[in-house]
Amino acid sequence: MSASEIKTIEIEVLRYRPEQDTEPFWQSFQVPFSHDTSVLEGLQSIKDDLDATLSYRWSCRMAVCGSCGMMISGKPKLACSTFLRDFYPNKVQVGPLEHFPIERDLVVSAEGFISKLEKITPYIVPKEPRTIEQGEYIQTPLQLKQFLQYSGCINCMLCYAACPQFGMNPKFIGPGLMALVHRYNVDSRDGAREQRMELVDEEDVGVWSCTAVGYCSEVCPKKVDPANAVNQNKVNSALNYFGRFLKPQGGQK
Amino acid sequence: MKRANDPIFWLPFGAGGVLAALFGPALVLITGFAAPFAIGLGPDALGYDNMMAFAHNAIGKLFLFAIVVFFLWHAALRIYHTLHDFGVHVGTVLKLIIFGGSLVATVIAVWTLLAIGF
């Protein structure tokens, strides 16, 4: 199809309005689209022209903010970087992210995710405090490379919708935040590794809930590769497990 | 905090994974094709006498131990996790069967390797 040609596609949206619906249901819309119309723009044209009550999260529309994660025809994707042309002439199904409670329509509750985020010390705790006069913390390119990839996470939670283990056990810290734990743990400036490792080592919470399915890394829109971070921390956690017997008494918790 | 005990099972699993990646394809090639069809190997390459001599040698014993036991622990954890992924979690009972079985098989392997002597 030429870039400007307008066609019509069926978009099925999972609706849930807690004040009037007892359970979620699929609602179908006929939506005009062209070659460059994203699923997000499809939802926007539903809201503008067909049904103003439709609720969904979005902000940047360029895969930077991580707001518009949804299940698009069964796969966790960002609505802004998924295009309707790839589904035509079939319909496209749009639902809220799996494994999260639905708040309204396509909006899920991120509360569980945020409370975990607060627990993992998601910031650098300086290993050695420096005064302003001492200047900045210097890092070599190699030290930067250790964590750069894992700092690309935009908290879109697609990996959580992809993770069957998180689906079965909501206590699991999960792929995205485990990548963030790793991002700070391997930063040469950071000194809080030990307190983060307590979570990594913990039963049902830490890294051992992972069964190496790997779908988290496949759906990551920023190529963070959380599965890799999780795997590296299985090694770290195993070293902790046996290493504590080698530590001086009183050194363990 | 309750520390997870998984490293106990994960380390032999990891060792088995590495060994399987390193030696698995070669073993399939040798035991499945080269030896039975005598391609590049004598007809008795894996014959009783040769294998017995191999098992009598200390390094041969070590190799057989690693190949049998770590492959087994690798498979055990993989099966356990795959069952879990498919929604089968009987917890302690399943763990006992899978890892208890692996432990019994490990003991049998060690006992056999030692019993046939050096």
Side-chain angles (χ1 to χ4, degrees), chain A residues 165 168 198 201-203 208 210-213 234-235 238 240-242 244, chain B residues 1-8 10-11 78 81-82 84-87 89:
Chain A
Q165 304 312 324
M168 286 190 265
E198 274 190 30
D201 294 337
E202 191 173 342
E203 188 171 85
W208 299 105
C210 166
T211 62
V213 172
K234 281 183 183 170
V235 178
N240 262 4
Y241 187 86
F242 294 103
R244 74 203 149 115
Chain B
M1 156 199 133
K2 190 163 183 286
R3 190 185 275 274
N5 287 321
D6 296 68
I8 298 169
W10 185 78
L11 279 182
R78 196 65 267 168
H81 276 170
T82 305
H84 180 79
D85 289 344
F86 281 104
H89 8 246

Side-chain angles (χ1 to χ4, degrees), chain B residues 61-97:
Chain B
K61 271 190 208 307
L62 203 65
F63 180 80
L64 288 173
F65 170 79
I67 290 301
V68 171
V69 169
F70 289 123
F71 273 44
L72 182 70
W73 282 93
H74 183 82
L77 192 72
R78 196 65 267 168
I79 289 168
Y80 178 71
H81 276 170
T82 305
L83 284 173
H84 180 79
D85 289 344
F86 281 104
V88 185
H89 8 246
V90 209
T92 318
V93 178
L94 190 69
K95 250 188 162 162
L96 266 178
I97 293 171

